[in-house]
Amino acid sequence: MWWQVRYSNYKKQLVCYKDSVNDPERDHLLKTINWPTASLEFPVFNSIGVDFNHGAYGMKDYHGWMGYKILKPDSPLLAGTGLDFHDIVSCQSEEYDATLFTCFPGDDDPVVDTTTLGFCKMELIGYDWGKSILVQGSKKVMEPSSLSGRIPGRETSSM
């Protein structure tokens, strides 16, 4: 989530000016600017739990593995891959989003700050180190509330 866009009046086009000065829209909540801009009154974290402002450009001042270190090999997202704990999946990227962490215990793996994020559950499946101590490009599964992704009256599997 980087640029907010909106539909044209006739709902036939998506509009994005990328500059609030050039955007003729008067309602500041509909301006087609970066999502992290305070005037939109909707932090990206509230929606997807990560953002670019906590991430960075991955190939500059890089201190990681050029991939993702696996933390949850038993995740349904990795079913059938044969990956094990701390295996590295090669996956270079120029840009990364990141989330909030409560701590980086020594040389251990990071711990996601679900309390500050306000999510019921968020699991870090894999991660890579970026510049300084930022954890970037976190692959995660999240549930903003205990009812997320659930249909009342139907059984569902938990993450």
Side-chain angles (χ1 to χ4, degrees):
M1 287 180 63
W2 189 244
W3 294 108
Q4 172 167 270
V5 297
R6 66 175 177 272
Y7 283 107
S8 65
N9 291 339
Y10 301 104
K11 309 282 189 256
K12 296 192 184 240
Q13 295 178 322
L14 281 177
V15 176
C16 185
Y17 282 87
K18 298 184 177 181
D19 183 341
S20 63
V21 174
N22 294 329
D23 190 341
E25 177 60 50
R26 292 178 190 207
D27 184 344
H28 73 277
L29 295 177
L30 298 177
K31 292 280 191 182
T32 61
I33 53 181
N34 297 118
W35 274 107
T37 304
S39 66
L40 291 181
E41 300 176 18
F42 188 81
V44 174
F45 276 132
N46 292 3
S47 181
I48 60 175
V50 298
D51 73 1
F52 179 76
N53 290 342
H54 288 81
Y57 292 99
M59 306 307 284
K60 297 176 182 172
D61 299 323
Y62 187 77
H63 300 288
W65 307 283
M66 298 295 188
Y68 296 104
K69 182 181 275 191
I70 301 302
L71 297 180
K72 303 275 185 183
D74 57 343
S75 166
L77 297 175
L78 299 178
T81 63
L83 291 168
D84 289 319
F85 182 71
H86 278 183
D87 279 356
I88 306 294
V89 175
S90 179
C91 183
Q92 295 180 21
S93 179
E94 294 291 324
E95 295 180 9
Y96 294 100
D97 288 353
T99 194
L100 302 176
F101 297 92
T102 57
C103 62
F104 300 91
D107 290 330
D108 294 337
D109 300 314
V111 177
V112 177
D113 185 355
T114 55
T115 302
T116 301
L117 288 169
F119 285 10
C120 171
K121 183 176 187 177
M122 186 167 182
E123 293 182 343
L124 190 62
I125 296 169
Y127 72 98
D128 194 0
W129 290 104
K131 65 182 187 179
S132 76
I133 62 167
L134 277 175
V135 175
Q136 304 171 335
S138 54
K139 295 299 179 196
K140 43 79 184 148
V141 175
M142 54 90 168
E143 292 182 29
S145 79
S146 61
L147 299 176
S148 296
R150 308 239 180 338
I151 300 172
R154 292 192 186 173
E155 288 187 30
T156 59
S157 61
S158 64
M159 287 190 276

